[in-house]
Amino acid sequence: MSDWRVRIPGRDIWRVGLVEAPIADIARRGFPADAPVRWLGEEGRLKFLADPFGFWRDGRLHLFVEAYDYRTRHGVIETIELGADFTPIRRAVVLKEPWHLSYPQVFAADGEIWMLPEAYRSGAVTLYRAAAFPDVWEPAARLELDTPAIDATPFRHDGLWWLAYSPTGPQRWKQGRLHFAFAERLTGPWRTHPGNPVRDTLASSRPGGTVWIEGGLPRLPVQDCTRTYGGAIRILNISRLTPERFEAEASAPLGSPPGAGRYAHGLHTLSSCGPVTLFDVKRIDRSLWGARGD
């Protein structure tokens, strides 16, 4: 007898969570069972929040997230201000462009607050400066690299600014290649690493969160896309990073956070914000409305 059933294509639906534990502890031991996860509410149909990054200001934690709507296939950057108990108290769109935006790294440097969102469909990597934090951002510099960078992740190491990112091109490159660039100043000029792509594997190449320095060496969350896009997070333990050399080994994938429930199909951002760590998890929606897009 023939099998009449048709597999409905799925759509990734992400949800953002927060746990009161430093990112280095989670990298070593996984999500702690004794630290409750605080979840942002689920979005409406065909919408989600993803790619959470945080910034503390005046004792308040400000989240910056990608807000995506499948009906427009367009992401914008929103800020969500959290109260003392990490409950959302304010939410607003803070950056919207004609092209898709995501992965809003927000950080302080040189007396300013900066945002570096992913915007490869614009054909460029644009660094924004906070003109009036957290709501008003202005373009400050275009970073010239070897490719419009995907999920560009900035950090300082050995007196230089570094960017970890994936290149544009075939889907296999976007999910399975890692490039680096370096500069003396955040605004450039940037030089690309001669070893690019320094890593070529779906298991541990595409950046997935904030870098931290441990024992003088960078630790970079990367996505494991072997099973599905953003299927898990591994930690890339970098043992050598210079303008000429790169060496690293990836950890085993992190397990799902407690309470993920039906959102246990993926984990693709792990970002540090002092004593708390932000992350997102996904479910794959194969309902009929998800297939039709209505």
Side-chain angles (χ1 to χ4, degrees):
M1 180 182 295
S2 63
D3 189 346
W4 56 268
R5 292 171 297 179
V6 176
R7 185 174 178 84
I8 298 172
R11 284 195 169 101
D12 292 349
I13 304 293
W14 298 91
R15 190 178 186 186
V16 170
L18 175 153
V19 63
E20 293 183 73
I23 194 170
D25 288 354
I26 292 174
R28 281 191 292 268
R29 296 187 286 269
F31 287 94
D34 58 347
V37 172
R38 303 174 187 273
W39 297 98
L40 293 189
E42 295 178 273
E43 295 291 282
R45 212 166 65 159
L46 288 170
K47 296 180 180 180
F48 64 75
L49 300 181
D51 292 347
F53 293 91
F55 193 90
W56 289 93
R57 182 78 178 269
D58 299 327
R60 290 284 175 88
L61 179 57
H62 299 263
L63 302 189
F64 293 85
V65 296
E66 169 200 356
Y68 187 82
D69 189 329
Y70 272 110
R71 289 166 295 192
T72 63
R73 295 192 174 274
H74 190 88
V76 301
I77 304 304
E78 293 192 6
T79 185
I80 302 171
E81 183 179 346
L82 303 183
D85 60 352
F86 298 113
T87 299
I89 59 176
R90 178 179 176 270
R91 177 173 171 175
V93 175
V94 296
L95 190 60
K96 186 176 183 179
E97 298 284 13
W99 47 84
H100 172 76
L101 295 169
S102 63
Y103 202 74
Q105 291 260 356
V106 176
F107 57 99
D110 303 327
E112 304 278 2
I113 303 175
W114 309 89
M115 181 193 294
L116 189 64
E118 192 279 302
Y120 84 91
R121 289 189 178 94
S122 71
V125 184
T126 301
L127 177 69
Y128 294 80
R129 179 190 294 110
F133 183 89
D135 296 303
V136 183
W137 299 83
E138 59 186 17
R142 177 182 171 122
L143 310 187
E144 300 292 342
L145 304 171
D146 51 353
T147 174
I150 295 176
D151 293 349
T153 302
F155 61 98
R156 292 278 297 175
H157 172 60
D158 276 356
L160 292 172
W161 280 101
W162 290 87
L163 276 182
Y165 55 97
S166 290
T168 56
Q171 200 68 12
R172 172 63 177 74
W173 293 8
K174 296 175 185 176
Q175 297 182 11
R177 285 188 172 183
L178 176 62
H179 286 213
F180 277 98
F182 55 94
E184 295 180 356
R185 299 173 55 201
L186 178 60
T187 53
W190 287 84
R191 290 173 283 171
T192 54
H193 200 282
N196 287 345
V198 299
R199 198 166 180 86
D200 188 354
T201 170
L202 285 170
S204 53
S205 293
R206 179 163 168 159
T210 52
V211 171
W212 74 98
I213 305 299
E214 190 171 314
L217 296 170
R219 301 289 182 254
L220 169 67
V222 288
Q223 298 181 39
D224 186 335
C225 298
T226 52
R227 177 175 52 87
T228 178
Y229 166 64
I233 285 287
R234 297 174 184 261
I235 306 303
L236 195 60
N237 298 304
I238 299 172
S239 56
R240 179 172 294 185
L241 181 60
T242 72
E244 298 82 25
R245 298 286 300 278
F246 169 83
E247 296 175 11
E249 291 187 1
S251 73
L254 294 177
S256 296
R262 61 179 180 157
Y263 286 87
H265 295 130
L267 168 70
H268 88 332
T269 309
L270 190 74
S271 67
S272 172
C273 198
V276 304
T277 300
L278 311 171
F279 60 88
D280 56 11
V281 290
K282 81 170 178 180
R283 63 184 176 90
I284 300 176
D285 194 305
R286 292 192 173 93
S287 61
L288 290 177
W289 66 261
R292 292 194 306 265
D294 56 2

